[in-house]
Amino acid sequence: MAIHIKEMVEQAKAYLVQLPELPEMKPVSNDQVASLIDHTILKPEATPEQVEKLCLEAREYSFAAVCVNPIFIPQVARLLKGSPAKACSVIGFPLGASLTRIKVEETRIVIEEGAQEVDMVLSIGLLKAREYEQVYEDILAVTQACHQHNVALKVIFENCLLEKEEKIMACLLSQSAGVDFVKTSTGFSKAGATVEDIDLMRRVVGPAMGVKAAGGVRSLADAQAMLKAGANRLGTSAGLTIVKEALS
């Protein structure tokens, strides 16, 4: 594993000098945007009534998922049953500082309660400390917990706290661990998704892996800018506003 990490570090340094070409992304029409939105409510004061409203909207507009804190997953799984929208839970949220075994157990529990996708915050402080093997093992453990149940995993970076090389390493570590998506932000720190970060992440992970823009995506123009830069999933609490604008 140490040799593998060393190779990733060298690759990251090379990418600081020259990034790969941006893969060609198919344009997304306005009427397709809803199917790429994770309709999200993660604020601590969220109520069951608000979560129910999100689920009803997700069913009506065929959003990709409804993303909530773990406490609401049983409700969301029940309300979305039979719809294309999936129940999605956050893990280690929003700090990423939980012990790996806690993240794994939390993941197992939300899957048992009906989660079909999981968004996990990586260990931000360990990444910044260059403890790459620990970061990798943390991501890998949650990936395995998800994939044994055919549940997709998105790994959240919190890019506003990271330097460019750290973002690149987060992409490489996540890709090596076999995750399904890399994701820009929790929406709970200093800033959210940027077009520049989406462009960087897409160049590093290539065309096959998912890239999710989250935090600050509040309009159709924001959504289309992120999609054009390489995102293929959007996390936002403004999903209804965006889709109504798209369909107007």
Side-chain angles (χ1 to χ4, degrees), residues 3-208:
I3 296 173
H4 191 36
I5 291 290
K6 184 178 179 181
E7 290 172 353
M8 277 193 274
V9 170
E10 292 303 314
Q11 184 69 75
K13 291 185 183 300
Y15 282 170
L16 282 174
V17 177
Q18 181 66 55
L19 282 166
E21 291 292 320
L22 183 67
E24 185 175 352
M25 301 294 291
K26 292 182 179 179
V28 177
S29 63
N30 285 349
D31 61 358
Q32 294 175 304
V33 169
S35 67
L36 303 178
I37 289 176
D38 287 358
H39 204 26
T40 302
I41 186 165
L42 295 168
K43 59 187 181 181
E45 69 271 27
T47 66
E49 290 75 19
Q50 290 172 316
V51 170
E52 180 177 4
K53 182 173 181 290
L54 248 66
C55 291
L56 294 175
E57 292 165 355
R59 292 185 72 101
E60 180 177 357
Y61 293 100
S62 297
F63 288 125
V66 172
C67 188
V68 295
N69 283 300
I71 194 171
F72 293 118
I73 280 296
Q75 178 188 9
V76 170
R78 175 174 53 81
L79 291 172
L80 293 182
K81 188 175 182 180
S83 83
K86 294 181 178 179
C88 175
S89 184
V90 290
I91 298 297
F93 193 87
L95 303 178
S98 301
L99 293 165
T100 298
R101 62 181 180 270
I102 294 174
K103 289 182 179 178
V104 169
E105 188 61 23
E106 189 175 21
T107 298
R108 288 174 178 159
I109 291 169
V110 296
I111 291 172
E112 287 174 2
E113 295 292 344
Q116 298 163 290
E117 294 186 350
V118 164
D119 289 21
M120 181 204 75
V121 187
L122 61 68
S123 300
I124 300 163
L126 294 182
L127 179 70
K128 295 188 74 66
R130 296 178 173 267
E131 298 288 350
Y132 296 136
E133 188 162 349
Q134 284 184 258
V135 175
Y136 172 82
E137 294 294 343
D138 183 68
I139 296 170
L140 180 63
V142 178
T143 302
Q144 292 172 338
C146 287
H147 286 180
Q148 66 183 1
H149 297 287
N150 296 315
V151 168
L153 175 64
K154 312 182 199 95
V155 173
I156 308 171
F157 292 177
E158 205 67 285
N159 279 335
C160 64
L161 303 180
L162 303 179
E163 302 298 328
K164 185 176 182 179
E165 185 176 358
E166 293 165 345
K167 297 171 190 177
I168 294 170
M169 278 301 300
C171 284
L172 295 175
L173 291 163
S174 297
Q175 191 171 43
S176 182
V179 309
D180 302 282
F181 283 79
V182 288
K183 177 178 170 181
T184 60
S185 326
T186 64
F188 280 70
S189 192
K190 298 185 293 183
T194 66
V195 166
E196 293 75 17
D197 279 341
I198 291 295
D199 179 273
L200 172 68
M201 294 163 76
R202 176 55 69 194
R203 287 175 187 268
V204 174
V205 303

